[in-house]
Amino acid sequence: MNSREKKIIRVVFFMLIPLIGFLYVLMNFGSSKDKDRSSVIEDTANGNSEPKFELTIENKNNKPKETPEGMVWIPGGEFSMGSNFDDESLCSIKGVTNDARPIHRVYVDGFWMDKTEVTNKEFSAFVKATGYVTVAEKKPLPEELPGVPLEQLIAGSAVFTPTPDKVDLNNYLAWWQYVGGANWRHPSGPDSNIIGKDNYPVVQIAYEDAVAYAKWAGKRLPTEAEWEFAARGGLTGTSYTWGNVFKPEGKFQANIYQGEFPVDKGDTAEDGFVGLAPVAQYKPNGYGLYDMAGNVWELINDWYSEDYYQVLAESNAVARNPQGPKSSHDPAEPNALVKVHRGGSFLCTDDYCTRYLVGSRGHGEIKSSANHIGFRCVK
C-alpha cells in the first residue's frame, strides 16, 4: 500500500467514522462463560447497591386483530432497562460500560416488530421499486474529505479483514479496512456478492439507508427502549435474550465469534457459522424474535449520548416511550452525529466484545456502514 492509499484510508475512517462509531460498540466488557449472572452488583465506591432489576409488567389484551406479514406483536409495558455489568477489561480502557447504567424504569406502548433483520431479498425489492442508492455506493464529496485528491474520493465502506497473526487489540485498524466498491451488493468488496444469499441480513447499511427502507415499507426504526423491551422477550433482568446461561444444554443461541480474534481462520465456528449467517438460525426469544443477539448490529432511531440513562434515572419517574436525547454526544468524537446500535454481531467475542449481552449498547456515526451492520423495523 503506497502512502497516498494510506492517507485516504486514514482520512475516510476519520471523516465517516466507520470505526470510531461502530467499533466502539465492539469493546469487550466481560467474559460470557456458562454461569448465572448476578442482577445486582455492589457499588464499592460508596457502599450502596445499584438499582435492581424489577419485574417486567406486560400490557395485556392489546394485540391488534390483523398481523402484518413477517412481524410479531410486542405488547409493551413497564420494565427495567439497562445493565449492571462491571467488567471494563478491554485494553485497559475504563468506563466503557457506564453508558448502559444505571438500571431505570421505562414504559413503552405495544408495537409490531420484524421477526428478523431486513434481508437482502427485502432490501433488493426496495431498491428495485425505488432506484435507491445507499451511502456506501456514493462517492464522498470533497467537503466531506478536505485535502484528499479528487481521484482518491471513492465509494466504499469498512470491511472486517482478518489478520495473518496475533495483533494488539488496541489497534482496530489492524483488522478493518476501507474498501472501495464495498456496499450492500458487495459486502466485502467488489469481488464479493450476495448471489444465493436472499435470506441473509442486508449489511453495509447506514442510518439514512435504513430510514429510507422503513419509510417505503410503511414502518420505522425502533427506539432504543422499544428494542430492549422486545429483546428481553418478557424476561426480567437476564444477561441474554434467552436467559442467564450462555449455552443452555451446551448449545449456542446466537451467531458470535469463537476462537482467536481477529486472526485469519481464527473463528472456530462452534456456533455453526464463520462470519455472517442467514437469519433465524437459532431459537427465537420469548416474543418470537430471531437474532436479537449477534449476527449483525441493528440500527436504532435514537441519538446516542453516553449519559442519557443517567438523565432518565435522575427524574425518579418511569420514562414513558422515551425517544432518546435531542442530540448526540460521543466523548470520543464530540463533533460526530451518532446513533445507537444494538445487539452485537458475528464479531462479538470474549477476547474483544461481549455486547450480545442484552442490556449493553453500541453506537456509530450516521454515515458509517460496515459488513456487520444491519437493521430491523417496527410499526
Side-chain angles (χ1 to χ4, degrees), residues 146-182:
V148 176
L150 292 178
E151 67 272 15
Q152 293 186 9
L153 295 175
I154 57 175
S157 190
V159 175
F160 172 68
T161 307
T163 61
D165 301 297
K166 292 182 179 180
V167 294
D168 180 358
L169 294 182
N170 285 291
N171 180 24
Y172 56 76
L173 287 176
W175 62 86
W176 285 99
Q177 293 186 13
Y178 186 85
V179 177

Side-chain angles (χ1 to χ4, degrees), residues 288-315:
L289 297 166
Y290 294 90
D291 304 316
M292 295 296 280
N295 214 24
V296 296
W297 282 102
E298 298 186 10
L299 294 160
I300 303 298
N301 196 58
D302 296 22
W303 290 113
Y304 170 81
S305 180
E306 86 289 352
D307 65 350
Y308 183 57
Y309 285 18
Q310 185 66 44
V311 171
L312 292 180
E314 287 175 354
S315 71

Side-chain angles (χ1 to χ4, degrees), residues 135-150:
V135 171
E137 295 173 279
K138 300 174 184 177
K139 184 171 68 173
L141 299 173
E143 54 266 34
E144 293 177 314
L145 300 173
V148 176
L150 292 178

Side-chain angles (χ1 to χ4, degrees), residues 44-56:
T44 56
N46 57 27
N48 295 323
S49 294
E50 291 191 357
K52 298 179 180 180
F53 284 105
E54 298 178 16
L55 188 66
T56 295

